[in-house]
């Protein structure tokens, strides 16, 4: 009995430290109060790791871009598949967070394919991929009137379909900003 009380006595400081400081969670992606990293190596690494989210947020905060209001999602699909590979959802998850932070933001998701295969099938595939992203956002609480989805198939190439590199660039999902009038929601609510 004395040993059990001693074990409880020794574990109390550990439990208190965990309650006050929390546990380290290597899977935690977002924090409400991120540390200040202005112009640090950490900020540069974060920009390189997530260029989609970084560019989109900078644009929404007023930084103009040569590319305008369109942003390419870095998403990978199995050949002919409409659902993204689960290990490539980072940009879509970031888009979800941004949509939550900017509650009046409205977007269009545009699906594009390369010219391999039949044009009619490519058009359907591009629409299914855009619809998948829209459904992902809606299932997580984004209002349906804020997200449009449209497939363009191979009708709007951005690169040469005669090369493997060009075909890869043409297979893409684009987020087009329809409006961005409102400031972000403060995390300090």
């Amino acid at each position: 009995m004395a040993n059990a009380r001693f074990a409880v006595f020794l574990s109390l400081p550990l439990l208190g430290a965990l309650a006050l400081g929390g546990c380290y969670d290597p899977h935690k992606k977002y924090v409400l109060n991120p540390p200040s990293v202005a112009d640090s190596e950490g900020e540069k690494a974060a920009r390189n790791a997530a260029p989609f989210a970084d560019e989109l947020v900078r644009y929404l905060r007023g930084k103009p871009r040569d590319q305008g209001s369109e942003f390419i999602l870095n998403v990978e699909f199995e050949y002919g598949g409409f659902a993204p590979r689960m290990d490539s959802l980072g940009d879509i998850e970031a888009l979800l967070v941004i949509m939550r932070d900017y509650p009046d933001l409205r977007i269009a998701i545009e699906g594009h394919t390369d010219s391999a295969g039949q044009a009619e099938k490519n058009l359907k595939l591009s629409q299914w991929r855009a619809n998948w992203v829209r459904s992902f956002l809606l299932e997580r609480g984004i209002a349906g009137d804020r997200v449009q989805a449209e497939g363009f198939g191979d009708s709007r190439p951005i690169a040469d379909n005669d090369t493997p590199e060009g075909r890869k660039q043409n297979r893409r999902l684009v987020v087009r900003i329809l409006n961005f009038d409102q400031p972000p929601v403060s995390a300090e609510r």
Side-chain angles (χ1 to χ4, degrees):
M1 184 73 159
N3 286 341
R5 285 187 199 151
F6 183 70
V8 169
F9 176 74
L10 287 178
S11 65
L12 287 177
L14 177 62
L15 291 173
L18 288 175
L20 292 175
C23 297
Y24 171 72
D25 182 1
H27 304 291
K28 189 172 185 178
K29 295 181 181 180
Y30 312 106
V31 294
L32 288 178
N33 298 315
S36 176
V37 291
D39 296 324
S40 69
E41 291 301 316
E43 181 182 15
K44 292 174 188 170
R47 284 183 188 166
N48 292 335
F52 165 80
D54 183 66
E55 286 184 24
L56 179 55
V57 168
R58 288 177 183 281
Y59 177 79
L60 293 172
R61 290 190 173 178
K63 182 177 180 187
R65 313 172 65 229
D66 293 338
Q67 301 87 350
S69 63
E70 295 184 356
F71 301 83
I72 296 177
L73 289 167
N74 183 20
V75 181
E76 295 180 15
F77 298 89
E78 297 298 332
Y79 180 77
F82 69 90
R85 289 188 12 210
M86 296 311 285
D87 62 345
S88 72
L89 292 179
D91 282 359
I92 298 173
E93 291 173 336
L95 178 60
L96 173 64
V97 172
I98 292 167
M99 295 290 292
R100 288 177 178 163
D101 287 349
Y102 290 82
D104 294 326
L105 177 64
R106 291 184 318 109
I107 63 170
I109 306 294
E110 300 176 349
H112 300 272
T113 65
D114 61 25
S115 61
Q118 298 175 354
E120 186 177 320
K121 287 184 179 179
N122 286 339
L123 183 61
K124 287 180 184 178
L125 181 61
S126 66
Q127 183 67 54
W128 291 339
R129 289 176 176 177
N131 287 345
W132 191 96
V133 175
R134 182 177 187 272
S135 294
F136 180 92
L137 296 172
L138 271 54
E139 289 170 1
R140 286 153 183 84
I142 304 301
D145 62 344
R146 295 180 57 203
V147 184
Q148 299 174 14
E150 187 169 0
F152 291 99
D154 59 4
S155 66
R156 296 185 179 179
I158 59 172
D160 184 3
N161 272 309
D162 292 332
T163 67
E165 297 83 19
R167 286 189 296 274
K168 183 177 181 179
Q169 288 179 7
N170 289 331
R171 293 187 299 267
R172 68 197 185 282
L173 283 172
V174 174
V175 174
R176 186 169 37 89
I177 306 301
L178 300 176
N179 78 328
F180 59 101
D181 301 347
Q182 302 297 320
V185 171
S186 171
E188 304 292 324
R189 292 187 218 187

